[in-house]
Structures are given as C-alpha cells and as structure tokens.
C-alpha cells in the first residue's frame, strides 16, 4: 500500500497475486475489457463497483483522488473478499506507480 500512499478501507484477500491492471470509470467498459485478477484504478466508489469487480474477478479496487467510499460499498467488498484501497493520488499517478512495480496493463480484447 505504501507505493500508492493508500489506506486500506476493506482488506479483502490481501495475499492474492495481482495479474495486471485496469484503469477506467465506466462500469460497462470495465466489464468488457478488464482481465480477471487485475487491480482496478477508478474514481467510482458506489456499490455497483463491487458488483462489477465480482463479475470480472477483480480482487482489488483502488479509489483515487481521496474520494469518499460509500459504507454500503465497503460492506459489499467485505462480503465478497475484495480489497478496497483509497489513495490521494490521481489515476495517472496511481497507474504510473503500479506500472513501476511491474503490474502490467491488461485488456481482455486486443
């Protein structure tokens, strides 16, 4: 969490290995393009984020720009075992730091 200057809001399965990364705020685009096992960087924080993460198989959501996260979102994340982090970084900076750690951007479709 330190490279992202992030706070853990919902711990989920913190031991699950991240396979790649996806960045975006449109839920339908995440469903269409994110890859299972990815970390999802977004400004979205409403409960539907967890529904999409569960559908796609995303184990970790990073909410950027220190946006508040609904308590309902966190409750759903805890129930689904999904980690939710919040960072003061912008999406650009968060993705840049994840890439520097070796997390590759992945996309379902070519």
């Amino acid at each position: 969490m330190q490279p992202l200057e992030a706070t853990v809001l919902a711990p989920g399965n913190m031991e699950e290995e991240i396979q790649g990364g996806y960045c975006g705020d449109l839920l339908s685009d995440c469903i269409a393009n994110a890859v299972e096992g990815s970390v999802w960087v977004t400004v979205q924080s409403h409960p539907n984020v967890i529904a999409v993460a569960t559908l796609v198989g995303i184990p970790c959501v990073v909410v950027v720009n220190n946006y508040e996260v609904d308590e309902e979102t966190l409750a759903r994340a805890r129930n689904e075992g999904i980690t939710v982090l919040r960072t003061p970084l912008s999406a650009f900076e968060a993705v840049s730091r994840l890439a520097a750690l070796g997390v590759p951007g992945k996309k379902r479709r070519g």
Side-chain angles (χ1 to χ4, degrees), residues 87-108:
T87 178
L89 302 176
S90 68
F92 182 86
E93 185 62 28
V95 169
S96 175
R97 291 186 187 191
L98 288 167
L101 292 171
V103 177
K106 289 193 172 182
K107 185 175 176 186
R108 186 174 296 175

Side-chain angles (χ1 to χ4, degrees), residues 7 9 12-13 45 56 74 78 89 98:
T7 302
L9 301 179
N13 180 3
S45 61
V56 176
L74 298 176
R78 289 182 196 105
L89 302 176
L98 288 167

Side-chain angles (χ1 to χ4, degrees), residues 7-91:
T7 302
V8 179
L9 301 179
N13 180 3
M14 303 284 283
E15 300 302 319
E16 187 165 341
E17 186 174 341
I18 297 299
Q19 304 296 316
Y22 170 81
C23 180
D25 302 316
L26 193 58
L27 302 183
S28 60
D29 189 69
C30 182
I31 292 168
N33 292 301
V35 175
E36 182 177 350
S38 294
V39 56
W40 179 10
V41 177
T42 183
V43 298
Q44 297 290 345
S45 61
H46 54 78
N48 288 342
V49 168
I50 302 305
V52 169
T54 302
L55 177 70
V56 176
I58 291 173
C60 180
V61 176
V62 178
V63 178
V64 297
N65 295 332
N66 256 347
Y67 281 107
E68 290 296 320
V69 178
D70 298 340
E71 185 52 43
E72 184 180 346
T73 301
L74 298 176
R76 287 185 183 189
R78 289 182 196 105
N79 286 340
E80 297 294 339
I82 295 173
T83 300
V84 177
L85 307 175
R86 180 174 55 206
T87 178
L89 302 176
S90 68

